Structure formats: C-alpha cells, structure tokens
Amino acid sequence: WLSAKTGHFYRLPTEAEWEYACRAGTTTAYSFGDDPAQLGEYAWYAANSDFQYQKVGRKKPNPWGLHDMHGNVAEWTLDQYSAESYQQFVGATANNPWIKATEPYPHAVRGGSWDDDPEQLRSAARLFSDRKWKRQDPQLPKSIWFHTDAKFLGFRVVRPLKVPTQDECSNYWTSGVEKE
C-alpha cells in the first residue's frame, strides 16, 4: 500500500536487517550497553509503560538515532521464525540472510514490547508470531493483517537504496503463505 501510494519501494526488514539497525554498531545486550537498569531511558516496557504502547520518540534513540528499537511495540520482520534459523550461518559470512516464509506461522518478531520484561528487549531477543493474535478478528474470512489480540505488535519499514526489480519486489511482498 505505502509503495503504491508513494511510488517508492518499501518492505519489512529481515531479521538480520532489524538486528543490525537495533544494535547500531554495538555488541552489547542492548544498544546502550549491558545494564537493564538503563532501559527506562531508552524503552517502554512492563515496568514503565502503563500497560500500553506510547508515542514514538519519547525515549532516547540508539546510537544511529533510531527510536523505540527496544520495547514499545514488538516489530514484524520478513523472516519465518525457526529456533534454529541462525545455526546455518555459524562460521560463515551471510550476505543479506533472509529465511523466506514457507508457512503462515510462525514469523519472527523483534524488539520486545510495552508488555515485556528486560530480557525480551535485548537486541538479539526473538519472538514468534501466533495465529491466536487474530482470534477476535471480526472479518469473515479472517484478514491476513488484522491482529486484534496483538496490541503489542507493530512494524517498521525499510526503503532500500537500490530499488529492486518488479519481480524482486513481488518476492518480498508475497511469499505465497499469506492466507491460512
């Protein structure tokens, strides 16, 4: 929709892209260091969120100026979730890794949310989607986008410098498993 509206190509980030942006050149548990006691300066999470998401940008950004990479809302990625997905890259250099979806669930979700504890907000923490997140969807048939039971979920978009071909765009936008 956004791409059609603006004429620019947008998509969800891959898990690798998301983590790269979250870490912002750091190697610590969080983009600001290893001390979860500092989370209140950078993130909305279970201890300070008042049990709801907050307006973006009210906490300190990461070193690259990106706000709310830790907490506030967990964010969709393009990747299929697999507990073992990173094992295939051990000892290797991956070039733009992406675990393309082969089934509707689970997909990888990153960043933690306003309802999570510090452990789930680490730069490397991963969550997987669940079909229960759309249980209350009032539409019949159920929408592929409507997640009434996942108020902790959001997304961030990527606009790559190099515009992909139309076939590549379709490959990013449609995996073939969108409908359950």
Side-chain angles (χ1 to χ4, degrees):
W1 174 87
L2 182 59
S3 296
K5 184 94 172 151
T6 64
H8 299 288
F9 173 70
Y10 292 96
R11 62 172 171 78
L12 292 174
T14 64
E15 266 200 279
E17 289 169 332
W18 189 96
E19 187 170 329
Y20 181 78
C22 180
R23 287 188 178 281
T26 67
T27 57
T28 52
Y30 306 95
S31 63
F32 54 83
D34 289 317
D35 185 4
Q38 294 179 31
L39 265 175
E41 297 177 46
Y42 295 88
W44 295 107
Y45 66 112
N48 69 354
S49 67
D50 199 25
F51 308 105
Q52 61 186 351
Y53 63 87
Q54 303 292 324
K55 184 176 178 180
V56 173
R58 293 176 51 206
K59 296 292 185 178
K60 290 181 179 178
N62 74 7
W64 290 350
L66 300 171
H67 289 268
D68 297 304
M69 294 299 293
H70 304 289
N72 206 10
V73 294
E75 299 178 6
W76 280 115
T77 69
L78 276 178
D79 293 60
Q80 182 85 53
Y81 177 87
S82 168
E84 297 84 32
S85 57
Y86 287 132
Q87 290 176 354
Q88 65 185 303
F89 303 117
V90 172
T93 301
N95 183 18
N96 296 323
W98 170 29
I99 311 302
K100 189 168 180 178
T102 57
E103 53 191 346
Y105 292 95
H107 279 255
V109 177
R110 301 297 295 265
S113 78
W114 54 265
D115 196 31
D116 288 323
D117 292 323
E119 181 69 17
Q120 286 83 39
L121 275 62
R122 294 176 306 104
S123 299
R126 305 170 71 223
L127 176 68
F128 53 87
S129 66
D130 189 319
R131 66 176 22 99
K132 294 177 190 169
W133 293 357
K134 58 171 68 178
R135 197 171 17 204
Q136 295 180 55
D137 179 357
Q139 302 177 81
L140 290 175
K142 298 223 180 279
S143 166
I144 63 170
W145 307 113
F146 209 105
H147 288 91
T148 51
D149 297 297
K151 294 180 172 137
F152 57 86
L153 184 64
F155 62 93
R156 185 177 302 260
V157 294
V158 170
R159 182 176 167 200
L161 289 173
K162 180 184 174 280
V163 179
T165 66
Q166 192 59 45
D167 285 344
E168 291 169 329
C169 290
S170 294
N171 193 33
Y172 282 119
W173 290 331
T174 310
S175 64
V177 298
E178 286 74 18
K179 296 185 180 187
E180 353 184 330

